[in-house]
Amino acid sequence: MITIKTAEEIEKMKAGGKFLSAILARLMEACVPGAHTEELDRLAREEMAKVGGKPSFLHYQISDEDPPYPSAVCISVNEEIVHGLATPNRVIKEGDLVGLDIGMWYEGMATDMAATVCAGNVASEARKLSEDTRESLKRGLSVIKEGAWLHEISQAIENYLKPNRYGIIRDLCGHGVGYSVHEDPQIPNYHERRAKPVKLKAGMCLAIEPMVTLGDWRIRQKDDGWTYVTADRSLAAHWEVTIVVTGSGFEFVTPFPDKV
Ligand code: MF3
Ligand code: CO
C-alpha cells in the first residue's frame, strides 16, 4: 500500500531530514584516507543522538531470515554497492570510492539518504561515475509532480545514464519511506515495463536512489549476509534523497548535503 503523509507528518520528516543531511555532510567530511569505518559509524550515532534522532538501519531486517543490520551507517567501498558494514579495523584508503547511506527516526518518522565520497585522489572515471549518478538522481527528481507516473522517474534516470553505458543495478530500487524504512512503491532506476503503473499523489514520500556501476548490473551478496557487490567487481556509486510529492513538483525532505 502506498501511503500519503499528513502535513504534520511531512513537517516532522522535513525537520528530521534537515538534520540527517547535516549529519551526512559531517560524515562526508570525515570520510578521508585513514578514517576507520567504525569511527564514522560512531560519529553518525553521536550526531543522531544529539538531535534527538535514532539510527533506523541499526538492527533492521529486510526479511525475517536476515541477520539484524549491525551499523548505523552503511559504508560501501569501491565494488560494494550498498549495505556495506562499518566493520571494526576497516580503514578508508586513498583513492576509495565510498558510499555513505544513513537513515534516521525522528519524531516517529523515517528518512533515508546517501552520498558517494571520493577519498583523496580518485581515478577520474570513478569520480565521473559518482557525479553522473548524482546527476541521474536530479533528472529523476525533475519529473516529479502530482499526476505524473512513477515510471517517468525511472525513465529519466535511465535516459541520463544510458549513453554512458553504465551498469544500472536492477535488483535494488528506491522506495516509499516515512512510517517505516521501506514502504511501497518500489522505484526502479530503469523503466520496468511489467510494473503496475502508479500515479504520483501529493503527500507521497519517496526515497530515490540510483545505484550505478562502471561495468555490469549484476550483483552478489557477501557472506556477511548484507553487503552487495558488483558480480564483475566493477566500481559502484550510489546517491539518495527523500522527497515529498506536491501539487506542482516536489520538496526535499533530505536536501542534498550542502557541499554538493
Ligand atoms: N538506504 C538503504 C536502502 O534503501 C537502507 C538500508 S537499510 C539497512 O536499502 F539496514 F539495510 F542498512
Ligand atoms: Co533507501
Side-chain angles (χ1 to χ4, degrees):
M1 190 189 56
I2 305 178
T3 63
I4 303 289
K5 276 74 182 181
T6 66
E8 198 186 332
E9 288 163 345
I10 290 165
E11 283 316 306
K12 288 178 177 172
M13 287 180 73
K14 281 185 179 168
K18 231 172 151 181
F19 282 133
L20 193 63
S21 175
I23 294 168
L24 181 57
R26 275 282 277 129
L27 291 176
M28 292 169 81
E29 238 163 51
C31 185
V32 293
H36 289 245
T37 59
E38 218 180 3
E39 281 299 307
L40 295 173
D41 195 61
R42 200 173 52 85
L43 182 61
R45 293 186 199 209
E46 280 172 9
E47 295 291 316
M48 287 190 204
K50 264 193 217 164
V51 300
K54 282 211 171 68
S56 59
F57 299 170
L58 187 62
H59 308 316
Y60 184 72
Q61 289 174 285
I62 290 177
S63 75
D64 290 344
E65 298 95 68
D66 289 325
Y69 189 75
S71 316
V73 50
C74 301
I75 306 179
S76 309
V77 182
N78 295 331
E79 75 279 5
E80 296 176 353
I81 309 157
V82 287
H83 302 178
L85 312 181
T87 315
N89 302 321
R90 186 170 199 197
V91 180
I92 302 298
K93 295 188 304 299
E94 177 78 27
D96 278 346
L97 192 63
V98 188
L100 299 173
D101 187 352
I102 48 172
M104 184 166 80
W105 287 108
Y106 183 81
E107 304 259 335
M109 303 300 291
T111 55
D112 188 356
M113 73 184 304
T116 293
V117 177
C118 296
N121 223 343
V122 168
S124 61
E125 54 171 10
R127 188 175 295 272
K128 183 169 186 314
L129 171 69
S130 174
E131 285 167 5
D132 285 346
T133 303
R134 187 176 67 223
E135 181 61 27
S136 76
L137 170 54
K138 291 183 176 169
R139 300 294 172 108
L141 297 174
S142 72
V143 301
I144 295 177
K145 61 171 192 254
E146 178 157 62
W149 295 102
L150 187 77
H151 65 248
E152 292 179 57
I153 304 174
S154 308
Q155 185 80 73
I157 293 171
E158 183 179 19
N159 283 351
Y160 181 74
L161 294 167
K162 233 186 184 161
N164 288 292
R165 299 177 171 275
Y166 290 128
I168 302 177
I169 302 297
R170 301 179 75 83
D171 299 337
L172 304 164
C173 318
H175 51 91
V177 63
Y179 303 130
S180 43
V181 174
H182 291 131
E183 295 178 14
D184 289 341
Q186 294 203 345
I187 311 171
N189 294 302
Y190 61 94
H191 186 182
E192 168 56 271
R193 283 178 175 73
R194 284 165 301 182
K196 189 168 149 256
V198 170
K199 215 170 218 186
L200 299 180
K201 291 202 185 75
M204 286 183 178
C205 293
L206 308 175
I208 315 215
E209 48 179 324
M211 290 157 266
V212 186
T213 83
L214 278 181
D216 192 79
W217 56 269
R218 288 176 185 80
I219 65 174
R220 299 267 181 280
Q221 193 166 43
K222 282 192 174 176
D223 290 342
D224 61 22
W226 277 104
T227 311
Y228 285 109
V229 295
T230 51
D232 63 2
R233 299 293 187 265
S234 60
L235 293 176
H238 175 217
W239 285 85
E240 176 176 21
V241 288
T242 299
I243 59 91
V244 54
V245 178
T246 67
S248 57
F250 74 93
E251 286 168 7
F252 283 102
V253 171
T254 64
F256 278 96
D258 52 16
K259 46 173 45 190
V260 294

